[in-house]
């Protein structure tokens, strides 16, 4: 007898990724975007303008969003104290883990928390430069925010959007890229590089693997390369077994 029906089961509502234009950065596009962020800091600073500090902050924030696969508000709401050591990743020093405290919540529920482990070796250098050398120049006494505003506690969403769009247009990138593309790129690039899909799912805080799959924008040849890799490893293992048995 069938006991599971549409009317007596919970509906799995996936994250909204309905807009077909939205996509991840390619690795080349992401490199160009971050390089442009750094170039803008250098350009503004060369003219002796104070605007280099906000530009540096936003560049670091963008890199952090990609480094940990965080959403815009999750990134914006980070405090300096949310970064810490991972005892199993000592090579990352004081930036081996990021505690996300304002994760996307279900309707009627408080923000969802999760810990995200550092995976990219460049992340500690980026964060250490920001927190030890540049952030103090904002005059952050008694301000816990990781990304302080010039006039308030922390940077706002509108400022992040405008900065992102300005850089995107400067690089002639399409509007299919938005702030959330950092998160899509994080998922996509980890999957491309062979990270375990379950690990990636836990990192980004998805309850369902099918939601993570929506964010995965791997290139058309990804499946071919994945198939070839596994076939080659199977053949190699078989040959080693055969050689061992003959010996």
């Amino acid at each position: 007898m069938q006991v599971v029906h549409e009317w007596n089961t919970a509906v799995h509502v996936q994250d909204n990724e309905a807009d077909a234009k939205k996509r991840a950065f390619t690795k080349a596009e992401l490199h160009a975007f971050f390089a442009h962020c750094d170039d803008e800091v250098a350009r503004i600073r060369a003219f002796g303008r104070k605007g280099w500090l906000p530009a540096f902050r936003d560049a670091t924030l963008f890199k952090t969003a990609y480094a940990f696969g965080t959403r815009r508000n999750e990134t914006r709401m980070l405090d300096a104290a949310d970064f810490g050591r991972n005892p199993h990743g000592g090579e990352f020093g004081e930036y081996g883990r990021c505690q996300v405290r304002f994760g996307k919540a279900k309707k009627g529920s408080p923000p969802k928390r999760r810990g995200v482990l550092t995976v990219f070796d460049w992340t500690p250098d980026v964060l250490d430069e920001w927190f030890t050398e540049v952030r103090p120049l904002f005059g952050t006494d008694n301000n816990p925010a990781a990304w302080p505003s010039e006039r308030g506690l922390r940077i706002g969403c509108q400022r992040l959007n405008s900065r992102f769009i300005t850089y995107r247009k400067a690089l002639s990138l399409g509007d299919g890229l938005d702030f959330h593309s950092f998160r899509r790129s994080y998922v996509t690039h980890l999957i491309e590089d062979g990270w375990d899909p379950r690990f990636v799912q836990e990192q980004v805080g998805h309850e369902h693997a099918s939601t993570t799959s929506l964010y995965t924008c791997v290139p058309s040849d990804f499946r071919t390369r994945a198939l070839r890799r596994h076939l080659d490893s199977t053949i190699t293992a078989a040959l080693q077994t055969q050689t061992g048995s003959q010996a």
Side-chain angles (χ1 to χ4, degrees):
M1 178 183 296
Q2 182 178 352
V3 296
V4 177
H5 304 271
E6 291 185 5
W7 54 267
N8 68 352
T9 54
V11 178
H12 169 203
V13 180
Q14 296 176 328
D15 284 0
N16 184 14
E17 285 283 306
D19 191 342
K21 293 190 302 181
K22 302 302 182 183
R23 64 177 181 85
F25 286 91
T26 66
K27 290 183 178 180
E29 288 172 338
L30 192 68
H31 177 78
F33 189 92
F34 289 155
H36 183 73
C37 291
D38 295 338
D39 290 344
E40 281 297 287
V41 175
R43 183 185 65 81
I44 297 170
R45 194 171 189 177
F47 282 102
R49 298 173 182 170
K50 295 181 179 179
W52 75 269
L53 282 174
F56 197 110
R57 174 201 59 204
D58 297 350
T60 308
L61 187 151
F62 290 150
K63 293 171 186 176
T64 302
Y66 172 69
F68 294 100
T70 47
R71 300 176 177 90
R72 181 181 60 184
N73 195 57
E74 290 175 346
T75 313
R76 187 182 74 85
M77 295 299 293
L78 288 173
D79 284 350
D82 289 330
F83 298 93
R85 286 184 169 272
N86 172 8
H88 303 290
E91 61 268 44
F92 298 119
E94 298 298 327
Y95 305 100
R97 189 174 188 273
C98 175
Q99 182 65 32
V100 175
R101 295 176 295 107
F102 288 86
K104 186 175 181 180
K106 293 183 178 179
K107 187 175 181 180
S109 300
K112 189 176 180 180
R113 294 173 176 250
R114 73 178 186 281
V116 187
L117 304 181
T118 304
V119 297
F120 300 126
D121 57 6
W122 50 264
T123 304
D125 292 336
V126 169
L127 292 174
D128 185 63
E129 182 180 18
W130 165 249
F131 282 112
T132 61
E133 298 180 25
V134 182
R135 181 176 173 270
L137 300 178
F138 274 86
T140 53
D141 293 342
N142 301 318
N143 184 350
W147 325 110
S149 170
E150 303 92 297
R151 300 180 180 84
L153 178 65
R154 66 182 77 241
I155 189 173
C157 290
Q158 187 57 45
R159 178 62 180 270
L160 289 177
N161 288 343
S162 61
R163 177 85 73 178
F164 182 93
I165 292 171
T166 298
Y167 289 176
R168 185 186 67 194
K169 289 181 176 179
L171 294 169
S172 299
L173 298 174
D175 60 4
L177 295 172
D178 56 13
F179 192 100
H180 209 68
S181 291
F182 292 128
R183 183 171 167 85
R184 298 185 191 99
S185 303
Y186 177 83
V187 172
T188 299
H189 297 165
L190 289 186
I191 294 297
E192 281 183 338
D193 291 342
W195 288 81
D196 188 289
R198 178 64 182 182
F199 173 81
V200 178
Q201 178 186 341
E202 292 292 332
Q203 286 281 94
V204 294
H206 285 157
E207 184 175 354
H208 302 281
S210 56
T211 306
T212 309
S213 69
L214 291 175
Y215 283 71
T216 308
C217 310
V218 295
S220 58
D221 66 338
F222 172 75
R223 288 188 300 169
T224 302
R225 289 188 284 108
L227 175 64
R228 187 71 264 162
R229 184 172 64 252
H230 285 285
L231 287 176
D232 289 345
S233 64
T234 301
I235 292 171
T236 300
L239 290 174
Q240 290 175 343
T241 300
Q242 183 177 10
T243 302
S245 62
Q246 290 176 350

